[in-house]
């Protein structure tokens, strides 16, 4: 049997495979989130995303309070290097 | 008691788990699958930052390099 130590028929990457051509949320290192259409990915979680909204959370230093705000950038097409990826979440079905 | 780490992981598949990442963020949900890199697929996933619920992701994939530990959750 080709299965690894954990006896199972599916692997985590199948969840990502099911999200191809869907709008996904990617949580990245550096307090960044990407929302975009998943066009391609590989075993490293390198990804090609289209129509991307990049949301960067910034902690403001001026106030004593923990004031955060977000900066949003738009990208038509993006290659994402896999090592920055923390989490991938498909759209709710 | 499991006699090795893989046996523990095999035993908690399909169960509720708490996954802590190196950043200190916790994810609670049902562990659906994992692979040799410790990549995880979870369902009903909720994100906790400093013990407070911050997000409800439903299904999610977590890249294995970020994982600090996987704990069996109560009930």
């Amino acid at each position: 049997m080709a299965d690894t130590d954990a006896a199972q028929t599916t692997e985590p990457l199948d969840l990502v495979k099911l999200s191809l051509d869907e709008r996904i949320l990617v949580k990245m290192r550096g307090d960044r989130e990407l929302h975009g259409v998943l066009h391609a990915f590989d075993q490293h979680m390198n990804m090609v995303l289209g129509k991307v909204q990049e949301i960067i959370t910034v902690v403001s230093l001026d106030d004593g309070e923990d004031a955060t705000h977000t900066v949003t950038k738009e990208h038509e097409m993006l290659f994402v290097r896999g090592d920055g990826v923390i989490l991938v979440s498909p759209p709710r079905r | 008691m499991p006699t090795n780490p893989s046996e523990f992981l095999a035993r908690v598949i399909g169960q509720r788990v708490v996954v802590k990442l190196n950043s200190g963020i916790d994810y609670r949900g049902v562990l659906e699958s994992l692979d040799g890199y410790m990549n995880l697929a979870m369902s009903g996933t909720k994100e906790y930052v400093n013990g407070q619920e911050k997000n409800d992701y439903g299904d999610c994939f977590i890249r294995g390099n970020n994982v600090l530990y996987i704990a069996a959750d109560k009930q």
Side-chain angles (χ1 to χ4, degrees), chain A:
Chain A
M1 199 149 98
D3 274 355
T4 48
D5 38 340
Q8 54 182 349
T9 50
T10 59
E11 56 169 21
L13 287 161
D14 292 340
L15 185 71
V16 183
K17 199 183 292 176
L18 286 169
S19 306
L20 281 167
D21 295 323
E22 302 249 37
R23 204 159 179 87
I24 59 165
L25 178 158
V26 185
K27 198 172 143 84
M28 304 282 299
R29 292 175 175 270
D31 298 315
R32 280 160 206 268
E33 279 188 6
L34 303 173
H35 299 241
V37 179
L38 180 64
H39 289 302
F41 72 98
D42 64 16
Q43 66 275 27
H44 304 290
M45 274 298 122
N46 295 324
M47 290 183 285
V48 178
L49 298 174
K51 295 255 187 295
V52 187
Q53 193 178 31
E54 177 184 14
I55 302 165
I56 310 161
T57 303
V58 185
V59 182
S60 318
L61 296 170
D62 32 280
D63 299 326
E65 295 152 49
D66 55 341
T68 62
H69 69 280
T70 58
V71 179
T72 304
K73 294 176 183 174
E74 311 279 337
H75 308 276
E76 190 56 35
M77 194 67 81
L78 209 59
F79 171 89
V80 182
R81 191 177 149 96
D83 64 355
V85 174
I86 297 174
L87 175 150
V88 177
S89 181
R92 294 222 173 241
R93 283 182 236 284

Side-chain angles (χ1 to χ4, degrees), chain A residues 4-6 8 11-13 43 45 85-87, chain B residues 4-10 12-13 17-22 31 33-42 60-71:
Chain A
T4 48
D5 38 340
Q8 54 182 349
E11 56 169 21
L13 287 161
Q43 66 275 27
M45 274 298 122
V85 174
I86 297 174
L87 175 150
Chain B
N4 61 58
S6 296
E7 190 188 325
F8 170 81
L9 292 174
V12 292
I13 287 176
V17 293
V18 184
V19 177
K20 191 181 272 296
L21 304 191
N22 289 319
L31 182 63
S33 64
L34 81 166
D35 66 15
Y37 296 107
M38 223 170 279
N39 293 324
L40 315 171
M42 291 171 71
C60 83
F61 167 94
I62 297 175
R63 198 172 188 267
N65 66 306
N66 301 293
V67 174
L68 182 66
Y69 66 61
I70 301 169

